[in-house]
Amino acid sequence: MQAEDYMREAIREAKKGEGYVNPNPMVGAVLVKDGRIVGRDYHHKYGAYHAERNAILNCKEDLHGAELYVTLEPCCHYGKTPPCTEIIIESGIRRVTIGSMDPNPLVAGKGAKILRQHGIEVVTGILEAECLELNQVFFHYILYKTPYVVMKYAMTADGKIATRTGASRWITGEAARERVQRSRHKYMGIMAGVQTVLADNPRLTCRMEGGRNPIRIICDTHLRTPLTAEVVQTAGEIRTIIAASEADGPRAEAFRRAGCEVLFVPAEEGHISLRILMEKLGAMGIDSILLEGGGELNYSALKSGIVQKVEAYIAPKLFGGQAAKTPVSGEGVALPDQAFALHSPKIRQIGQDILVEWEVKSCLPES
């Protein structure tokens, strides 16, 4: 096996932690000695040991002279767990191959430097693009302190998310809907607007076996969510945040008594400021959000510049109808060159449906 093969194995390990490690990164590690894989592991959950420490502690062989392949630069600071550099040095490992460097200011090259200072050979950049993609959420959150936002919608081939009567179940097939449940497990929060709550009364939970329910965030400027809504009735079991510009008074207290958190967010142009909401959610440790809003909230999110990725599920159906709803409504742009630009498309078939994923160029911090 080549270095790339071992790193691919480490990436497979890392993905096992998806949905459980937030706001930490997904990390996988593989130990190699005399051309054999002698150990492997991953970061299992937030607050638990990191991948490198797990792999080393669970390995039954002498690691003197061994190699370590790890998807992310080993940490070198004390946090909820001891630094991984410490146990790597103690183990006798002679070479460490790193997929991607850690942008966290607490690490940021320091981990690799410490290893080199102790005579360990360090190789970087093996399958770097794949390792960077693995932790898009973590890198964004560490650098900007706001959640990585994925705008998800399902539509027909003619761009409709509901019929002219408002009926929307089901546009896509079962396989696509199952993948959405994995996304609900993967991302730390799920966000919808009050109009979606009023129209569909969703639970916004993860129905994947063994999955983790996301934190539910409802954008509700004037607290119009019914106290009988599913998200309110189940707030005692699943963390639920109501973001409103009216966070005081008897109405807000009624939500709090039901188990909801009511988060004050100042209004902008008649609606809560989504940029300020993202800052507040980031400060609360929420690193990622799956946006499952209607057309109005989707447009507001794009206009506010908070969206990093778009996931469009396209079904082989045509609804037609001038009054049928579309994924992005709102005022819209006036001219084609004012469009929200997308780039780096990825296309895959899921059952009979097609998933297209794009990065949002105009919402990226560097643009």
Side-chain angles (χ1 to χ4, degrees):
M1 293 177 71
Q2 303 297 314
E4 290 80 6
D5 299 315
Y6 293 126
M7 190 60 75
R8 286 190 185 93
E9 291 298 315
I11 290 171
R12 289 189 189 99
E13 288 294 313
K15 289 179 178 178
K16 295 177 183 178
E18 183 176 87
Y20 300 109
V21 301
N22 311 62
N24 280 355
M26 290 182 281
V27 184
V30 168
L31 292 163
V32 178
K33 187 172 183 181
D34 301 327
R36 297 180 300 113
I37 294 178
V38 296
R40 62 174 78 208
D41 219 314
Y42 64 101
H43 182 32
H44 290 225
K45 63 179 181 178
Y46 178 70
Y49 282 156
H50 294 177
E52 304 95 312
R53 186 170 291 272
N54 282 334
I56 291 169
L57 289 175
N58 293 326
C59 182
K60 306 303 181 185
E61 299 198 26
D62 179 12
L63 290 175
H64 281 82
E67 303 171 63
L68 169 67
Y69 290 81
V70 62
T71 55
L72 185 68
E73 179 184 10
C75 68
C76 54
H77 61 283
Y78 280 88
K80 290 185 176 294
T81 60
C84 291
T85 50
E86 191 176 87
I87 195 169
I88 293 170
I89 294 164
E90 292 170 354
S91 71
I93 288 170
R94 68 175 178 84
R95 180 163 62 191
V96 175
T97 300
I98 298 169
S100 60
M101 302 301 282
D102 191 339
N104 186 340
L106 294 172
V107 186
K110 300 183 186 74
K113 182 179 179 180
I114 288 171
L115 295 176
R116 289 188 176 108
Q117 287 173 342
H118 283 80
I120 297 173
E121 181 186 354
V122 177
V123 179
T124 61
I126 302 297
L127 295 188
E128 183 176 26
E130 290 91 334
C131 290
L132 288 171
E133 183 178 4
L134 183 68
N135 281 308
Q136 280 182 314
V137 166
F138 172 72
F139 296 141
H140 175 89
Y141 181 66
I142 282 293
L143 292 173
Y144 303 108
K145 310 301 182 189
T146 57
Y148 184 90
V149 178
V150 178
M151 189 175 85
K152 187 279 297 181
Y153 54 83
M155 68 180 187
T156 59
D158 57 341
K160 307 297 184 181
I161 62 171
T163 67
R164 60 181 174 80
T165 65
S168 60
R169 295 186 180 182
W170 295 104
I171 290 177
T172 54
E174 187 175 343
R177 298 199 299 273
E178 285 178 359
R179 190 187 184 280
V180 170
Q181 297 307 312
R182 293 200 299 273
S183 292
R184 290 185 178 188
H185 166 75
K186 175 180 179 179
Y187 299 113
M188 200 168 180
I190 185 168
M191 188 164 81
V194 63
Q195 292 291 358
T196 297
V197 174
L198 292 172
D200 300 333
N201 193 23
R203 290 178 66 91
L204 301 177
T205 54
C206 175
R207 295 184 293 277
M208 183 183 86
E209 185 177 352
R212 175 195 55 83
N213 283 320
I215 299 167
R216 302 178 299 193
I217 301 133
I218 308 300
C219 298
D220 186 1
T221 306
H222 303 296
L223 291 178
R224 294 190 295 131
T225 297
L227 292 172
T228 55
E230 288 282 357
V231 290
V232 178
Q233 291 295 304
T234 56
E237 308 159 26
I238 304 164
R239 188 177 179 190
T240 304
I241 299 170
I242 311 288
S245 63
E246 301 173 6
D248 295 317
R251 182 73 175 167
E253 284 306 311
F255 282 110
R256 291 190 176 101
R257 285 195 300 271
C260 300
E261 300 171 41
V262 182
L263 181 65
F264 171 74
V265 181
E268 254 179 27
E269 299 180 0
H271 302 284
I272 60 168
S273 167
L274 293 178
R275 280 190 173 274
I276 293 175
L277 174 58
M278 292 304 108
E279 292 171 3
K280 287 178 176 281
L281 295 176
M284 294 164 70
I286 298 173
D287 70 348
S288 52
I289 291 172
L290 184 65
L291 175 58
E292 291 198 18
E296 292 288 339
L297 182 57
N298 286 345
Y299 176 70
S300 295
L302 289 166
K303 185 180 177 183
S304 299
I306 68 166
V307 181
Q308 278 70 54
K309 179 181 281 189
V310 171
E311 291 186 352
Y313 292 85
I314 305 170
K317 300 175 182 178
L318 300 168
F319 281 174
Q322 190 173 7
K325 295 180 179 180
T326 59
V328 181
S329 53
E331 183 183 16
V333 300
L335 299 169
D337 62 5
Q338 296 172 347
F340 302 104
L342 309 176
H343 70 103
S344 304
K346 292 181 180 177
I347 304 171
R348 72 185 80 175
Q349 185 170 344
I350 303 177
Q352 295 300 306
D353 304 308
I354 295 171
L355 170 62
V356 186
E357 299 174 86
W358 291 279
E359 305 296 324
V360 184
K361 184 176 181 181
S362 56
C363 290
L364 292 174
E366 63 268 25
S367 64

